[in-house]
């Protein structure tokens, strides 16, 4: 199939839908879906606003990473700066810039789209956009006040090669970090390099927004 391989949007008839749980940011939705053989089956999934991640790469080819405890998986994970798209239709680039500032007190002069993915399409509708941020500098003003899991968050800069090696060895498992590091490694090895990546305001059909 070559360059023709692509995911395609499609909808099957939803006969009925309810929301048995509504949380602060996400919900659980239960849909009755008609299958191709006309049978109706139940599909339960997390309804999610979407997320952004930022792979911030400095001039020494180091990736800015955060170490944070994640209760559902009972692990302290190394991750990229990331956050939810809290406002419907929110511009993902603006959200990414906010998260980089709030979590690392860093700003970037060059932004590109690195990868888009669905985090767990069998059980959630979460869509994630990973940005590549370069030309890094310290943000101005006071640091953002953190709380809860972020209160003891560690920040480090790790060579990209070490991050990729950690992913391949099974030592790093956060999906945004895995996707971002491998996508950047592939981009650097490609003919067009980073310059061939999509612009920061590239369309995102999974989470449409206004530029």
């Amino acid at each position: 199939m070559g360059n023709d391989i692509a995911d395609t949007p499609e909808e099957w008839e939803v006969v009925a839908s309810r929301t048995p749980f509504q949380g602060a940011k996400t919900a659980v939705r239960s849909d009755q879906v008609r299958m191709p053989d006309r049978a109706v089956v139940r599909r339960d999934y997390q309804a999610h606003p979407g997320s952004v991640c930022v792979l911030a790469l400095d001039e020494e080819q180091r990736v800015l990473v955060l170490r944070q405890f994640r209760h559902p998986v009972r692990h302290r994970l190394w991750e990229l700066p990331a956050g939810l798209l809290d406002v419907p239709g929110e511009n993902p680039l603006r959200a990414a810039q906010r998260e980089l500032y709030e979590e690392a007190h860093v700003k970037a002069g060059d932004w590109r789209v690195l990868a888009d993915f669905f985090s767990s399409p069998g059980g959630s509708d979460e869509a994630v956009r990973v940005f590549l941020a370069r030309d890094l500098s310290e943000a101005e003003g006071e640091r953002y006040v953190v709380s809860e899991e972020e209160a003891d968050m560690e920040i480090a800069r790790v060579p990209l090669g070490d991050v990729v090696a950690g992913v391949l060895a099974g030592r790093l498992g956060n999906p945004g970090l895995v996707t971002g590091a491998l996508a950047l490694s592939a981009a650097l090895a490609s003919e067009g390099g980073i310059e061939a990546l999509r612009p920061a305001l590239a369309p995102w059909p999974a989470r449409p927004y206004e530029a």
Side-chain angles (χ1 to χ4, degrees):
M1 294 182 68
N3 292 331
D4 294 333
I5 183 172
D7 299 330
T8 54
E10 184 172 335
E11 295 208 25
W12 292 358
E13 180 186 2
V14 176
V15 178
S17 182
R18 64 189 185 93
T19 305
F21 172 78
Q22 178 66 59
K25 299 293 184 180
T26 67
V28 172
R29 190 163 295 147
S30 184
D31 291 347
Q32 297 289 332
V33 184
R34 193 178 303 282
M35 299 287 109
D37 64 359
R38 308 306 294 169
V40 175
V41 301
R42 192 179 85 185
R43 291 289 178 263
D44 302 325
Y45 59 98
Q46 180 193 36
H48 195 287
S51 304
V52 291
C53 297
V54 184
L55 195 158
L57 188 71
D58 68 16
E59 294 179 352
E60 298 176 41
Q61 297 293 292
R62 297 179 303 174
V63 179
L64 192 156
V65 289
L66 314 170
R67 192 167 183 246
Q68 187 171 342
F69 175 69
R70 294 300 189 182
H71 174 72
V73 295
R74 301 332 194 249
H75 271 70
R76 191 179 289 269
L77 302 177
W78 285 105
E79 307 179 347
L80 301 178
L84 300 177
L85 293 169
D86 295 316
V87 181
E90 183 177 17
N91 185 309
L93 174 60
R94 306 291 175 259
Q97 292 170 332
R98 180 185 68 238
E99 294 300 332
L100 184 60
Y101 165 74
E102 291 182 356
E103 295 192 344
H105 202 64
V106 166
K107 62 181 180 180
D110 183 81
W111 290 83
R112 299 166 193 270
V113 174
L114 192 51
D116 297 328
F117 69 97
F118 295 107
S119 63
S120 183
S124 172
D125 68 353
E126 180 185 14
V128 183
R129 169 157 281 189
V130 185
F131 288 92
L132 172 64
R134 298 185 300 165
D135 186 17
L136 307 183
S137 60
E138 192 77 7
E140 301 169 358
E142 296 293 322
R143 278 189 170 274
Y144 184 79
V145 178
V146 297
S147 61
E148 299 176 356
E149 288 94 343
E150 296 179 354
D152 69 342
M153 188 167 60
E154 301 174 49
I155 301 178
R157 296 196 183 198
V158 180
L160 174 62
D162 291 351
V163 176
V164 171
V167 169
L168 297 179
R171 298 191 302 270
L172 300 170
N174 174 272
L177 179 66
V178 171
T179 302
L182 297 183
L184 178 56
S185 181
L188 290 169
S190 68
E191 183 177 348
I194 288 177
E195 298 304 318
L197 291 173
R198 287 171 291 161
L201 293 175
W204 190 14
R207 290 294 182 273
Y209 65 92
E210 292 186 10

